[in-house]
Amino acid sequence: MSFEQRLKAQALGLGFDLAGIARLGPVATHAAFADWLAQGFHGEMDYLQRGAELRADTTRPEPGMRSAVVVALDYGGRQPAGPVARYARGDDYHRLMWDRLDALLAWVREQRRDAARGRAYVDTGPILERELARSAGLGWIGKNTMLINPEMGSFFFIGALFLELDLEPDEAFQADHCGSCTRCLDACPTGAFVAPRVMDARRCISYLTIESRSAIPDEYHSALAEHVYGCDICQDVCPWNVKFSRDLREPAFAPRPLLAGKDAATLAQQILAMDEDAYRESFRGSAMKRAKLSGLQRNAEVVLSGRRGS
């Protein structure tokens, strides 16, 4: 086996579900990303604007890096729908994936004396992760802007280990298997897709309940009546997920007791009753802390408002 084959096998052995190798360099989709920013579709996510130029070339965020091992970790698309998006129901995925990528880097250093530096990225660096994953052969970018793998759908996290090594890259995924299907675009209750593969985040339920710090406009309250944190609708209706999504296998992503089996109204009422201490205890180590207690309580109020209006 080549080093690249052994490297990918090691990644799978550490618990990742997919692994591919990409060569770092100019990003083909950056012009489309820059146009998306220019139209203001990023809303309040100013960090995307600040890192825009770094995202134009994957050699810029960490000078000296030449290749990336891109991995995917499934989080269980077969779980029932609910008021919290599937990815956020258990423990925060960042730490788990960083630890595994750091273990992969340790293995690389054991195998290669020339492997001086490496850096793990999980959703936190100025990188267009889905395009990097596509270039590593892991799937295509669907009309709902998600990376879709033909054998497991799209319910997975993406991470990357940048390496100061010249590695033989995998072939980029070129095919588009969405065809004429528009189920994801048609199903979005807030009309967030202005075109295939173009989302106005300001209308997206995930953005409104997670990233935005502003009041949620009244026009979206009825659409948010079942959504306390995030949304999976455009993934739920995708035929590739209907057929190929998987059962939850990673124990860390199992729903915590507060969230398991709760409907939106019950969870909203529990969140509104929390003080800061209860919030910290309930959401310790959770990705849901990104919205803070104030954001979760804002969402809870909108959920109850939307249900009263329905």
Side-chain angles (χ1 to χ4, degrees):
M1 294 176 67
S2 68
F3 175 73
E4 287 82 356
Q5 289 172 317
R6 292 190 293 120
L7 175 57
K8 289 184 285 186
Q10 183 69 17
L12 298 178
L14 287 167
F16 293 115
D17 295 288
L18 298 172
I21 295 173
R23 180 170 288 125
L24 301 183
V27 178
T29 57
H30 185 263
F33 173 67
D35 181 65
W36 182 80
L37 289 174
Q39 295 186 70
F41 290 155
H42 60 297
E44 297 173 31
M45 296 183 287
D46 294 335
Y47 60 88
L48 294 176
Q49 189 81 57
R50 290 194 298 272
E53 287 308 309
L54 291 177
R55 295 173 199 267
D57 189 315
T58 47
T59 63
R60 292 179 183 175
E62 188 70 21
M65 301 297 174
R66 299 194 289 273
S67 302
V69 186
V70 189
V71 297
L73 181 60
D74 193 274
Y75 57 85
R78 295 287 179 191
Q79 299 177 75
V84 174
R86 291 172 181 84
Y87 87 90
R89 296 175 185 175
D91 293 341
D92 192 336
Y93 62 95
H94 294 90
R95 185 71 271 158
L96 185 148
M97 293 188 71
W98 274 324
D99 288 345
R100 292 184 183 180
L101 288 170
D102 286 345
L104 185 60
L105 176 58
W107 180 88
V108 170
R109 287 171 171 162
E110 289 175 357
Q111 303 294 314
R112 294 280 295 260
R113 293 180 179 273
D114 57 338
R117 291 194 305 133
R119 179 167 179 179
Y121 287 99
V122 182
D123 223 12
T124 52
I127 301 162
L128 297 178
E129 291 96 343
R130 282 166 287 186
E131 175 59 22
L132 184 64
R134 188 199 66 80
S135 68
L138 301 192
W140 77 97
I141 298 175
K143 292 180 181 178
N144 62 358
T145 75
M146 304 296 292
L147 188 80
I148 305 173
N149 178 272
E151 296 180 356
M152 58 188 280
S154 64
F155 286 103
F156 55 81
F157 303 115
I158 299 172
L161 177 62
F162 281 31
L163 294 169
E164 202 172 34
L165 292 173
D166 284 315
L167 300 177
E168 184 66 28
D170 287 296
E171 184 177 349
F173 203 104
Q174 299 293 349
D176 174 9
H177 292 300
C178 288
S180 61
C181 179
T182 59
R183 293 183 194 180
C184 59
L185 311 182
D186 299 337
C188 179
T190 56
F193 296 104
V194 300
R197 299 180 179 85
V198 182
M199 173 192 283
D200 183 347
R202 298 167 299 182
R203 300 179 65 88
C204 173
I205 291 174
S206 288
Y207 167 83
L208 291 167
T209 58
I210 301 172
E211 296 292 338
S212 175
R213 298 292 180 260
S214 301
I216 296 174
D218 292 346
E219 64 188 286
Y220 300 131
H221 284 205
S222 61
L224 268 67
E226 302 297 330
H227 302 276
V228 174
Y229 188 93
C231 177
D232 285 328
I233 291 174
C234 68
Q235 295 193 86
D236 284 334
V237 301
C238 175
W240 292 92
N241 283 323
V242 171
K243 188 171 184 179
F244 294 112
S245 63
R246 302 178 178 182
D247 292 326
L248 177 64
R249 294 185 294 177
E250 174 53 60
F253 300 148
R256 52 188 59 206
L258 175 70
L259 307 178
K262 299 287 177 61
D263 62 34
T266 301
L267 181 58
Q269 289 164 350
Q270 288 181 296
I271 288 172
L272 286 173
M274 287 181 177
D275 58 18
E276 282 289 344
D277 289 339
Y279 159 74
R280 284 193 293 270
E281 179 64 26
S282 298
F283 293 106
R284 181 178 291 115
S286 167
M288 290 180 68
K289 290 188 73 175
R290 182 167 182 81
K292 304 184 178 180
L293 178 58
S294 59
L296 292 177
Q297 291 186 330
R298 174 204 61 187
N299 298 347
E301 290 172 351
V302 169
V303 163
L304 298 178
S305 168
R307 294 174 74 87
R308 287 193 296 269
S310 61

